[in-house]
CSV table of all heavy atoms in Angstrom, one decimal:
chain,number,residue,atom,x,y,z
A,141,ARG,N,-4.2,7.5,-19.3
A,141,ARG,CA,-3.6,6.2,-19.7
A,141,ARG,C,-4.0,5.1,-18.7
A,141,ARG,O,-4.3,4.0,-19.1
A,141,ARG,CB,-2.0,6.3,-19.6
A,141,ARG,CG,-1.5,7.1,-20.7
A,141,ARG,CD,0.1,6.9,-20.9
A,141,ARG,NE,0.8,7.3,-19.7
A,141,ARG,CZ,1.3,8.5,-19.5
A,141,ARG,NH1,1.1,9.5,-20.5
A,141,ARG,NH2,2.0,8.8,-18.4
A,142,LEU,N,-4.2,5.4,-17.4
A,142,LEU,CA,-4.7,4.4,-16.5
A,142,LEU,C,-6.1,4.1,-16.8
A,142,LEU,O,-6.5,2.9,-16.8
A,142,LEU,CB,-4.7,5.0,-15.1
A,142,LEU,CG,-5.3,4.1,-14.0
A,142,LEU,CD1,-4.5,2.7,-13.9
A,142,LEU,CD2,-5.2,4.8,-12.6
A,143,ARG,N,-7.0,5.0,-17.2
A,143,ARG,CA,-8.3,4.6,-17.6
A,143,ARG,C,-8.4,3.8,-18.8
A,143,ARG,O,-9.1,2.8,-18.9
A,143,ARG,CB,-9.2,6.0,-17.8
A,143,ARG,CG,-9.5,6.7,-16.5
A,143,ARG,CD,-10.6,7.7,-16.8
A,143,ARG,NE,-10.3,8.7,-17.8
A,143,ARG,CZ,-9.8,9.8,-17.6
A,143,ARG,NH1,-9.3,10.1,-16.4
A,143,ARG,NH2,-9.5,10.7,-18.6
A,144,GLU,N,-7.5,4.0,-19.7
A,144,GLU,CA,-7.5,3.2,-21.0
A,144,GLU,C,-7.0,1.8,-20.6
A,144,GLU,O,-7.6,0.8,-21.2
A,144,GLU,CB,-6.5,3.9,-22.0
A,144,GLU,CG,-7.0,5.2,-22.6
A,144,GLU,CD,-6.0,5.9,-23.4
A,144,GLU,OE1,-4.8,5.5,-23.3
A,144,GLU,OE2,-6.3,6.9,-24.1
A,145,GLN,N,-6.0,1.7,-19.8
A,145,GLN,CA,-5.6,0.3,-19.4
A,145,GLN,C,-6.7,-0.5,-18.6
A,145,GLN,O,-6.8,-1.6,-18.8
A,145,GLN,CB,-4.3,0.5,-18.5
A,145,GLN,CG,-3.1,1.0,-19.3
A,145,GLN,CD,-1.9,1.3,-18.4
A,145,GLN,OE1,-2.1,1.4,-17.2
A,145,GLN,NE2,-0.7,1.3,-19.0
A,146,LEU,N,-7.3,0.2,-17.7
A,146,LEU,CA,-8.4,-0.4,-17.0
A,146,LEU,C,-9.6,-0.9,-17.9
A,146,LEU,O,-10.1,-1.9,-17.7
A,146,LEU,CB,-8.9,0.6,-15.9
A,146,LEU,CG,-7.9,0.9,-14.7
A,146,LEU,CD1,-8.5,1.9,-13.8
A,146,LEU,CD2,-7.7,-0.4,-13.9
A,147,ALA,N,-9.8,0.0,-18.8
A,147,ALA,CA,-11.0,-0.3,-19.8
A,147,ALA,C,-10.6,-1.6,-20.6
A,147,ALA,O,-11.4,-2.4,-21.0
A,147,ALA,CB,-11.3,0.9,-20.6
A,148,ALA,N,-9.3,-1.7,-20.9
A,148,ALA,CA,-8.9,-2.8,-21.8
A,148,ALA,C,-8.7,-4.1,-21.1
A,148,ALA,O,-8.8,-5.2,-21.6
A,148,ALA,CB,-7.6,-2.5,-22.5
A,149,ALA,N,-8.6,-4.0,-19.6
A,149,ALA,CA,-8.5,-5.3,-18.9
A,149,ALA,C,-9.8,-6.1,-18.9
A,149,ALA,O,-10.9,-5.5,-18.9
A,149,ALA,CB,-8.1,-4.9,-17.4
A,150,ARG,N,-9.7,-7.4,-18.8
A,150,ARG,CA,-10.8,-8.2,-19.0
A,150,ARG,C,-11.5,-8.7,-17.7
A,150,ARG,O,-12.7,-9.0,-17.6
A,150,ARG,CB,-10.5,-9.6,-19.8
A,150,ARG,CG,-10.0,-9.2,-21.2
A,150,ARG,CD,-9.8,-10.5,-22.0
A,150,ARG,NE,-9.5,-10.3,-23.4
A,150,ARG,CZ,-9.3,-11.2,-24.3
A,150,ARG,NH1,-9.4,-12.5,-23.9
A,150,ARG,NH2,-9.0,-11.0,-25.5
A,151,THR,N,-10.8,-8.6,-16.6
A,151,THR,CA,-11.3,-9.1,-15.3
A,151,THR,C,-11.0,-8.0,-14.2
A,151,THR,O,-10.1,-7.1,-14.4
A,151,THR,CB,-10.6,-10.4,-14.9
A,151,THR,OG1,-9.2,-10.1,-14.6
A,151,THR,CG2,-10.7,-11.4,-15.9
A,152,TRP,N,-11.8,-8.1,-13.1
A,152,TRP,CA,-11.6,-7.2,-12.0
A,152,TRP,C,-10.2,-7.4,-11.4
A,152,TRP,O,-9.6,-6.4,-10.9
A,152,TRP,CB,-12.7,-7.4,-10.9
A,152,TRP,CG,-14.0,-6.8,-11.3
A,152,TRP,CD1,-15.2,-7.5,-11.5
A,152,TRP,CD2,-14.3,-5.5,-11.6
A,152,TRP,NE1,-16.2,-6.6,-11.8
A,152,TRP,CE2,-15.7,-5.4,-11.9
A,152,TRP,CE3,-13.6,-4.3,-11.5
A,152,TRP,CZ2,-16.3,-4.2,-12.1
A,152,TRP,CZ3,-14.2,-3.1,-11.8
A,152,TRP,CH2,-15.6,-3.0,-12.1
A,153,ASP,N,-9.8,-8.6,-11.4
A,153,ASP,CA,-8.4,-8.9,-10.8
A,153,ASP,C,-7.3,-8.2,-11.6
A,153,ASP,O,-6.4,-7.6,-11.0
A,153,ASP,CB,-8.1,-10.5,-10.8
A,153,ASP,CG,-8.9,-11.2,-9.7
A,153,ASP,OD1,-9.3,-10.5,-8.7
A,153,ASP,OD2,-9.0,-12.4,-9.8
A,154,GLU,N,-7.5,-8.2,-12.9
A,154,GLU,CA,-6.5,-7.4,-13.7
A,154,GLU,C,-6.6,-5.9,-13.5
A,154,GLU,O,-5.6,-5.2,-13.3
A,154,GLU,CB,-6.8,-7.7,-15.2
A,154,GLU,CG,-6.5,-9.1,-15.7
A,154,GLU,CD,-6.8,-9.3,-17.1
A,154,GLU,OE1,-7.0,-8.3,-17.9
A,154,GLU,OE2,-6.9,-10.4,-17.5
A,155,ARG,N,-7.8,-5.4,-13.3
A,155,ARG,CA,-8.0,-4.0,-13.0
A,155,ARG,C,-7.4,-3.6,-11.6
A,155,ARG,O,-6.8,-2.6,-11.4
A,155,ARG,CB,-9.4,-3.6,-13.1
A,155,ARG,CG,-10.0,-3.7,-14.5
A,155,ARG,CD,-11.5,-3.7,-14.6
A,155,ARG,NE,-11.9,-3.8,-16.0
A,155,ARG,CZ,-13.2,-3.9,-16.3
A,155,ARG,NH1,-14.1,-4.1,-15.4
A,155,ARG,NH2,-13.6,-3.9,-17.6
A,156,PHE,N,-7.6,-4.5,-10.6
A,156,PHE,CA,-7.1,-4.3,-9.3
A,156,PHE,C,-5.6,-4.2,-9.4
A,156,PHE,O,-4.9,-3.4,-8.7
A,156,PHE,CB,-7.6,-5.3,-8.3
A,156,PHE,CG,-9.0,-5.2,-8.0
A,156,PHE,CD1,-9.7,-6.4,-7.6
A,156,PHE,CD2,-9.7,-4.0,-8.1
A,156,PHE,CE1,-11.1,-6.3,-7.4
A,156,PHE,CE2,-11.1,-4.0,-7.8
A,156,PHE,CZ,-11.8,-5.1,-7.4
A,157,ALA,N,-5.0,-5.2,-10.1
A,157,ALA,CA,-3.5,-5.3,-10.2
A,157,ALA,C,-3.0,-4.0,-10.9
A,157,ALA,O,-1.9,-3.5,-10.5
A,157,ALA,CB,-3.1,-6.5,-11.0
A,158,LEU,N,-3.7,-3.5,-12.0
A,158,LEU,CA,-3.2,-2.3,-12.6
A,158,LEU,C,-3.3,-1.1,-11.7
A,158,LEU,O,-2.4,-0.2,-11.6
A,158,LEU,CB,-4.1,-2.0,-13.9
A,158,LEU,CG,-3.8,-2.9,-15.1
A,158,LEU,CD1,-5.0,-2.7,-16.0
A,158,LEU,CD2,-2.5,-2.5,-15.7
A,159,THR,N,-4.4,-1.0,-10.9
A,159,THR,CA,-4.5,0.1,-9.9
A,159,THR,C,-3.4,0.1,-8.9
A,159,THR,O,-2.9,1.1,-8.5
A,159,THR,CB,-5.9,0.0,-9.3
A,159,THR,OG1,-7.0,0.0,-10.3
A,159,THR,CG2,-6.1,1.2,-8.4
A,160,LYS,N,-3.2,-1.1,-8.3
A,160,LYS,CA,-2.1,-1.3,-7.3
A,160,LYS,C,-0.8,-0.8,-7.9
A,160,LYS,O,0.0,-0.1,-7.2
A,160,LYS,CB,-2.0,-2.6,-6.8
A,160,LYS,CG,-3.3,-3.1,-6.0
A,160,LYS,CD,-3.2,-4.6,-5.6
A,160,LYS,CE,-4.4,-5.2,-5.1
A,160,LYS,NZ,-4.3,-6.6,-4.8
A,161,SER,N,-0.5,-1.3,-9.1
A,161,SER,CA,0.8,-0.9,-9.7
A,161,SER,C,0.9,0.5,-9.9
A,161,SER,O,2.0,1.2,-9.6
A,161,SER,CB,0.9,-1.7,-11.1
A,161,SER,OG,2.1,-1.4,-11.7
A,162,PHE,N,-0.2,1.2,-10.4
A,162,PHE,CA,-0.2,2.6,-10.6
A,162,PHE,C,0.1,3.3,-9.3
A,162,PHE,O,0.9,4.3,-9.2
A,162,PHE,CB,-1.5,3.1,-11.2
A,162,PHE,CG,-1.6,4.5,-11.5
A,162,PHE,CD1,-1.1,5.0,-12.7
A,162,PHE,CD2,-2.1,5.4,-10.5
A,162,PHE,CE1,-1.2,6.4,-12.9
A,162,PHE,CE2,-2.2,6.7,-10.8
A,162,PHE,CZ,-1.8,7.3,-11.9
A,163,LEU,N,-0.6,3.0,-8.3
A,163,LEU,CA,-0.5,3.6,-6.9
A,163,LEU,C,1.0,3.4,-6.4
A,163,LEU,O,1.6,4.3,-5.8
A,163,LEU,CB,-1.5,3.1,-5.9
A,163,LEU,CG,-2.9,3.5,-6.2
A,163,LEU,CD1,-3.9,2.8,-5.2
A,163,LEU,CD2,-3.1,5.0,-6.2
A,164,ALA,N,1.5,2.2,-6.6
A,164,ALA,CA,2.9,2.0,-6.1
A,164,ALA,C,3.9,2.8,-6.9
A,164,ALA,O,4.9,3.3,-6.2
A,164,ALA,CB,3.2,0.5,-6.4
A,165,GLN,N,3.6,3.1,-8.1
A,165,GLN,CA,4.6,4.1,-8.9
A,165,GLN,C,4.4,5.5,-8.3
A,165,GLN,O,5.3,6.3,-8.5
A,165,GLN,CB,4.2,4.0,-10.3
A,165,GLN,CG,4.6,2.6,-10.9
A,165,GLN,CD,4.1,2.5,-12.4
A,165,GLN,OE1,4.1,3.5,-13.1
A,165,GLN,NE2,3.8,1.3,-12.8
A,166,CYS,N,3.2,5.8,-7.8
A,166,CYS,CA,3.0,7.2,-7.4
A,166,CYS,C,3.6,7.4,-6.0
A,166,CYS,O,3.8,8.5,-5.5
A,166,CYS,CB,1.4,7.5,-7.3
A,166,CYS,SG,0.7,7.6,-8.9
Side-chain angles (χ1 to χ4, degrees):
R141 289 196 296 271
L142 175 60
R143 288 198 301 272
E144 292 172 350
Q145 291 172 340
L146 291 171
R150 295 185 177 183
T151 67
W152 285 117
D153 285 342
E154 291 177 17
R155 291 167 179 169
F156 292 153
L158 285 167
T159 303
K160 294 176 191 178
S161 176
F162 180 87
L163 292 174
Q165 292 173 30
C166 293

